[in-house]
């Protein structure tokens, strides 16, 4: 009976640590989780599953290892939030696949992106879009969802600066550069370090 009580205690402690971590990070839904979160949760699951039935690992070591795992996930998420290069690797960037009603073939054919055009067609049909010919602009988001703009709508906005730092990839996607961004900021007489977020939308 003592064995089962010990197992239950380990389970409760593991469950409490993971739930607390999810609540503190604000990522309690699958749709909110990044690849770092998914991989980290698998690691935490392995720790709990591997230790919970073992008598050879003391309780304090079990708790410490869990806290290290949670801390590492939080650290990686913080790095991906503040460093664009790391975010591009771990989470990815939106992938434009249609611009001005034409397929962006270099993105579609790139092996790294692994775009399944037939699956994409099914997703569009599920959104009520019956043909590629209806689309003016489309992009695949980092979470795999498809953002579509038909020809009578405006294009989605692009975040070109965050926390005072230019986002080079996004500037390139709208055919702009950092020199243009600097000129726009100076025209509004704003210091870059004072900018929390700068958004490019509808040509502005």
């Amino acid at each position: 009976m003592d064995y089962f009580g010990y197992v239950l205690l380990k389970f409760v402690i593991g469950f409490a640590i993971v739930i607390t971590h999810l609540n503190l990070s604000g990522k309690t839904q699958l749709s909110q989780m990044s690849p770092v979160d998914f991989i980290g949760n698998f690691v935490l699951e392995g720790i709990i599953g591997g230790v919970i039935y073992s008598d050879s690992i003391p309780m304090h070591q079990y708790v410490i290892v869990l806290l290290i795992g949670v801390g590492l996930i939080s650290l990686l998420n913080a790095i991906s939030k503040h460093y664009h290069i790391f975010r591009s690797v771990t989470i990815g960037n939106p992938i434009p696949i249609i611009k001005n009603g034409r397929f962006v073939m270099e993105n579609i054919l790139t092996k790294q992106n692994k775009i399944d055009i037939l699956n994409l067609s099914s997703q569009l049909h599920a959104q009520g879009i019956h043909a590629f010919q209806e689309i003016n602009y489309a992009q695949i988001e980092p979470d795999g969802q498809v953002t579509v703009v038909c020809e009578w709508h405006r294009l989605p906005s692009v975040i070109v600066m965050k926390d005072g730092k230019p986002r080079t990839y996004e500037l390139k996607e709208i055919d702009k550069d950092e020199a243009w961004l600097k000129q726009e900021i100076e025209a509004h007489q704003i210091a870059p370090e004072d900018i929390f977020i700068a958004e490019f939308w509808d040509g502005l």
Side-chain angles (χ1 to χ4, degrees):
M1 195 66 182
D2 290 341
Y3 171 77
F4 293 107
Y6 195 57
V7 169
L8 178 61
L9 179 60
K10 284 184 177 180
F11 177 79
V12 170
I13 290 174
F15 187 81
I17 290 175
V18 172
I19 289 296
T20 301
H21 163 65
L22 293 176
N23 286 328
L24 290 176
S25 66
K27 298 180 179 181
T28 56
Q29 304 293 326
L30 288 176
S31 59
Q32 299 172 312
M33 294 186 181
S34 67
V36 172
D37 295 308
F38 276 111
I39 295 172
N41 288 339
F42 285 133
V43 172
L44 295 180
E45 178 185 344
I47 294 172
I48 295 173
V51 173
I52 199 170
Y53 300 112
S54 175
D55 290 332
S56 60
I57 301 177
M59 179 68 75
H60 70 278
Q61 289 185 3
Y62 167 60
V63 173
I64 290 172
V65 170
L66 267 181
L67 292 176
I68 290 174
V70 167
L72 182 59
I73 295 170
S74 299
L75 176 62
L76 292 176
N77 276 322
I79 293 174
S80 66
K81 181 179 179 180
H82 293 95
Y83 295 93
H84 182 68
I85 294 177
F86 187 78
R87 180 182 177 85
S88 298
V89 173
T90 58
I91 298 177
N93 294 305
I95 305 171
I97 54 173
I98 297 177
K99 284 185 177 180
N100 299 320
R102 295 180 178 274
F103 286 111
V104 184
M105 296 307 299
E106 58 267 30
N107 290 343
I108 294 174
L109 297 178
T110 300
K111 292 182 179 180
Q112 182 180 357
N113 294 333
K114 298 180 181 178
I115 296 171
D116 185 340
I117 201 69
L118 298 180
N119 180 55
L120 178 62
S121 177
S122 297
Q123 291 186 58
L124 294 176
H125 293 165
Q127 295 185 35
I129 299 170
H130 306 292
F132 286 110
Q133 298 174 61
E134 296 183 47
I135 301 171
N136 177 42
Y137 179 89
Q139 69 182 26
I140 298 178
E141 305 294 347
D143 64 357
Q145 299 297 314
V146 182
T147 296
V148 179
V149 179
C150 294
E151 57 185 355
W152 55 87
H153 291 133
R154 294 169 174 171
L155 296 180
S157 68
V158 177
I159 306 301
V160 295
M161 175 176 275
K162 184 178 181 297
D163 296 326
K165 297 179 181 178
R167 306 185 77 203
T168 307
Y169 178 86
E170 284 72 15
L171 286 168
K172 182 180 178 182
E173 288 301 311
I174 59 172
D175 298 321
K176 306 292 184 182
D177 55 22
E178 292 189 34
W180 168 85
L181 181 61
K182 182 179 179 181
Q183 183 178 355
E184 291 293 315
I185 292 172
E186 290 176 348
H188 288 83
Q189 298 181 343
I190 303 173
E193 57 270 19
D194 293 332
I195 298 176
F196 170 63
I197 195 168
E199 184 180 47
F200 181 89
W201 180 62
D202 196 27
L204 301 172

